[in-house]
Amino acid sequence: MEGLMMQYPLTTTAILEYGNRAFQHKKVISYLPDGSRHAYSFGDLHKRCKKLANVLTQKLGITKGDMVGTYAWNHYQHLELYYGIPGIGAVCHTINIRLSSQQTEFIINHSEDKVIFVDATLAPLLEKIAAQLETVECYVLINAPEGFSTTLPNTMHYEDLLEGQSEEFEWPSLDENQACGMCYTSGTTGLPKGVLYSHRSTYLHASTVLAPNAANCSNRDVVLLIVPQFHVMAWGFPYMCVLTGADMVMPSLHLQPEAIIDMLQKEKITKANGVPTIWLGVYEAMKKNPPKEKLALQEYLVGGSALPASLIDGFERDFGIRGVHAWGMTETSPLGTVSRLQRKHAQLGQKEQLEIRAKQGTEFPGIEMRIVMDDGSIAPRDGKTMGELQVKGAWVLHSYFKTHNQENFTKDGWFRTGDVSTIDADGYMQITDRTKDLIKSGGEWISSVALESALMSHPRIKEAAVIAIPDATWSERPLASVVLADKNETVTPKELMEFLGRDFAKYQIPDQYVFLGEVPKTSVGKFNKKEIRRLYAEGKLT
Ligand code: ADP
């Protein structure tokens, strides 16, 4: 028997309209590329999204199902694109500004973007490849100063287009399963692949992520969106904040630790997101120059790569700010798990609590996960047995955009993440590695992530990335590349081996160490192990 409830499509427009009805006075604050501060309300956002919808449909000829690219920082105009484009039934394709020219060209041609909205500061990056972009009819410049010139063809200005447009627009009714956004994987493991989000998946993801077990955001929060809007929809925060009525602060290109600390102070930010590299930088800067007044920041949600226990511990001990560890992928919208302590953990000691919080955590409602071993059987939830992490759920993709490759999916409908993990009896998942980053030495697996976390807890080490290198006897051995916290200090391989000896078996401890000025990073700030392996193979890592 069918239920007798209304069909109410879960769309991004429903989020925008709700935000306007329930939280019209809430604020969106942007620190624009030129350093100026812009503030307006959810009510203003709503009006401008309607103006934008008029521009898209009447001036730019965008129709349902068209791809519209954005190549922009985090700010209010990008937020308007997040609602205006899907609102008319088109797809908001956020292009990662940190990819190589070659990858960017591939992505734009592959997705068939018709128009690209580009921040003026980023226009030079697109100029280099514009001649090769086959489908782009025009470029709309955002935040272009007076007299700005570019070689991009067919350019218009965002504000000129919106100027004088009507604030009336009747949103078309949309099927919630229609596409609303697209993001390509950053290509850490091969050519970027397109992930096409639906209105429904985006709505469900946002409404789950705001919950207390997850990002824990409400209409009493001021949220700093550090995760770029060009990467996995800023973890859904631009939708989540409107849905929960949290004020939003958008930093555009002001991502240096000092700029972030300044925003945390001035805007009385209570929650924020970001990859570990960002928070490591903020922590180091705060230690050197502690803020005079206690920050309003209560928690920062971290994912993208493992959050070292030492960082969780340091931030909380020194500044009373909680790090909350989450895991996800472009393919999972992205948030899949989050690690929070439960009531029964209160009696544990601090070290045990930290161990749990440094795990990637339990799955969100709406997501299921399992660990599959090499022989195809499901691993027990014992916190020890490793295997491939597979997930399914309401915001997990079932195929990539325009590819029929099914190797990432199992016959029984699970997505193969490529991460190697364990799940413990309480349901906390822990990533041991990516499949190709695991080190197999003498037939035994060694986790590079565990070694990195341990090395980064050493007081004189800032960053550590561990890769497998070929070895005649053991087939592979770990090599640690480390960055010192202070260039004037030293630490010897012997000291590091002794340090690791406290937690690791002898065979797991790297015997080779290289000291770098900086660990190469990917477009989204993760350790770029592909690059480290390449440097090693070319003999440039000594
Ligand atoms: P790409 O796959 O292109 O690097 P993603 O941002 O989608 O881009 O990366 C997803 C991957 O990042 C995951 O499969 C996992 O390996 C890693 N990852 C994400 N969050 C965490 C985390 N909290 N701890 C460890 N690894 C993580």
Side-chain angles (χ1 to χ4, degrees), residues 185-188 231 304-306 325-330 360 419 434 526:
T185 61
S186 47
T188 318
H231 191 61
S305 44
H325 194 189
W327 166 91
M329 304 179 72
T330 308
Q360 279 69 13
D419 286 332
R434 275 195 166 185
K526 301 182 193 191

Side-chain angles (χ1 to χ4, degrees), residues 184-189 231-232 235 276 302-307 325-332 334 337 358-360 417-420 431 433-434 437 449 522-524 526:
Y184 278 72
T185 61
S186 47
T188 318
T189 51
H231 191 61
V232 214
W235 298 357
V302 174
S305 44
L307 171 61
H325 194 189
W327 166 91
M329 304 179 72
T330 308
E331 290 89 336
T332 63
T337 67
K359 291 187 175 190
Q360 279 69 13
T417 65
D419 286 332
V420 179
I431 304 249
D433 247 314
R434 275 195 166 185
D437 289 339
V449 174
T522 70
S523 60
V524 289
K526 301 182 193 191

Side-chain angles (χ1 to χ4, degrees), residues 63-200:
T63 54
K64 269 191 181 179
D66 279 344
M67 281 288 164
V68 180
T70 66
Y71 198 73
W73 303 108
N74 290 13
H75 45 51
Y76 69 100
Q77 298 101 325
H78 206 171
L79 187 65
E80 292 161 5
L81 294 162
Y82 261 50
Y83 287 98
I85 298 169
I88 65 158
V91 181
C92 178
H93 168 212
T94 56
I95 307 162
N96 186 336
I97 63 164
R98 301 241 160 79
L99 296 180
S100 66
S101 296
Q102 203 186 6
Q103 286 175 317
T104 311
E105 180 188 321
F106 166 80
I107 286 176
I108 297 174
N109 285 334
H110 188 257
S111 62
E112 301 182 50
D113 291 325
K114 216 165 151 183
V115 177
I116 298 182
F117 287 78
V118 50
D119 248 303
T121 50
L122 301 171
L125 297 173
L126 287 188
E127 285 170 3
K128 289 193 233 163
I129 53 167
Q132 282 77 257
L133 302 180
E134 294 152 10
T135 57
V136 182
E137 292 167 9
C138 67
Y139 297 85
V140 180
L141 294 168
I142 310 170
N143 293 317
E146 277 284 309
F148 180 79
S149 84
T150 171
T151 59
L152 286 175
N154 304 330
T155 51
M156 292 175 227
H157 288 264
Y158 190 77
E159 291 306 326
D160 291 353
L161 284 170
L162 259 66
E163 174 96 33
Q165 284 296 330
S166 164
E167 290 170 357
E168 298 301 318
F169 182 86
E170 191 156 340
W171 300 113
S173 62
L174 299 173
D175 180 333
E176 64 179 16
N177 291 309
Q178 218 173 297
C180 72
M182 177 146 85
C183 184
Y184 278 72
T185 61
S186 47
T188 318
T189 51
L191 259 190
K193 289 180 274 198
V195 181
L196 194 57
Y197 306 114
S198 69
H199 281 270
R200 176 187 154 84

Side-chain angles (χ1 to χ4, degrees), residues 6 22 49 82 121 196 216 228 233 312 329 365 370 383 388 478 530:
M6 290 183 186
C49 286
Y82 261 50
T121 50
L196 194 57
N216 186 22
M233 313 310 272
I312 307 181
M329 304 179 72
R370 69 181 186 187
E388 183 183 48
K530 196 158 81 174

Side-chain angles (χ1 to χ4, degrees), residues 409-453:
F409 304 92
T410 66
K411 287 207 174 68
D412 59 345
W414 292 71
F415 170 64
R416 305 180 56 187
T417 65
D419 286 332
V420 179
S421 318
T422 58
I423 302 179
D424 69 20
D426 288 327
Y428 288 75
M429 184 270 287
Q430 181 163 31
I431 304 249
T432 324
D433 247 314
R434 275 195 166 185
T435 320
K436 59 168 187 41
D437 289 339
L438 260 183
I439 303 154
K440 196 157 199 184
S441 181
E444 297 284 348
W445 292 110
I446 302 176
S447 159
S448 65
V449 174
L451 286 168
E452 287 159 7
S453 288

Side-chain angles (χ1 to χ4, degrees), residues 297-316:
L297 186 67
Q298 300 157 5
E299 301 188 346
Y300 55 98
L301 187 73
V302 174
S305 44
L307 171 61
S310 51
L311 184 62
I312 307 181
D313 188 34
F315 236 129
E316 193 152 325

